[in-house]
Amino acid sequence: KAPLSKSLLLVPSALSVLLTLLFQHYQKFFTYNLQAVKEDFQIWRLVFGRTVCLDLKDAFCNSLLIYNFRIFERRYGSRKFSSFLFGSWMLSALFDLLLVEAVQYAFGITISSLPSGL
């Protein structure tokens, strides 16, 4: 009844558990490093850094949030819900970049990485 919510619940949670327990040496590839995105054009960090949590408590909280969002997917349909999620994801990624640049310009503080996960 809510295929997008179920897949978002299973796939990122499973990746988070695997990265935390078994493949800890691969966590560096999933960090949400904005300096690497800007300087080295590693655009894939925007996707993986915002999708996969590197801490189990964050993954648990994200799972609870996605589990409760399945109600909206059932109400509006998977297509509208996925377009809403994609639009929200794009706006939040844009605001992340803009806020990091504004903090660096206004205060001279360089922020290289942000917390990963949804």
Side-chain angles (χ1 to χ4, degrees), residues 20-21 23 36 39 57 60 70-71 81-82 96 99 103:
T20 303
L21 299 178
F23 303 110
E39 295 170 4
K57 64 182 177 212
F60 179 73
R70 80 191 190 290
I71 297 167
F81 183 68
S82 64
D96 282 348
L99 285 174
V103 166

Side-chain angles (χ1 to χ4, degrees), residues 50-112:
R50 297 184 57 84
T51 307
V52 179
C53 296
L54 297 179
D55 192 15
L56 286 180
K57 64 182 177 212
D58 293 336
F60 179 73
C61 292
N62 285 339
S63 298
L64 286 176
L65 184 67
I66 292 170
Y67 180 75
N68 289 322
F69 272 8
R70 80 191 190 290
I71 297 167
F72 296 115
E73 184 178 2
R74 288 180 187 157
R75 181 176 296 163
Y76 298 118
S78 294
R79 186 174 178 181
K80 277 188 181 178
F81 183 68
S82 64
S83 65
F84 169 73
L85 284 181
F86 183 71
S88 299
W89 181 84
M90 292 292 288
L91 282 175
S92 65
L94 177 68
F95 283 135
D96 282 348
L97 290 171
L98 289 176
L99 285 174
V100 166
E101 289 297 321
V103 166
Q104 185 176 1
Y105 179 75
F107 303 112
I109 300 171
T110 302
I111 300 172
S112 61

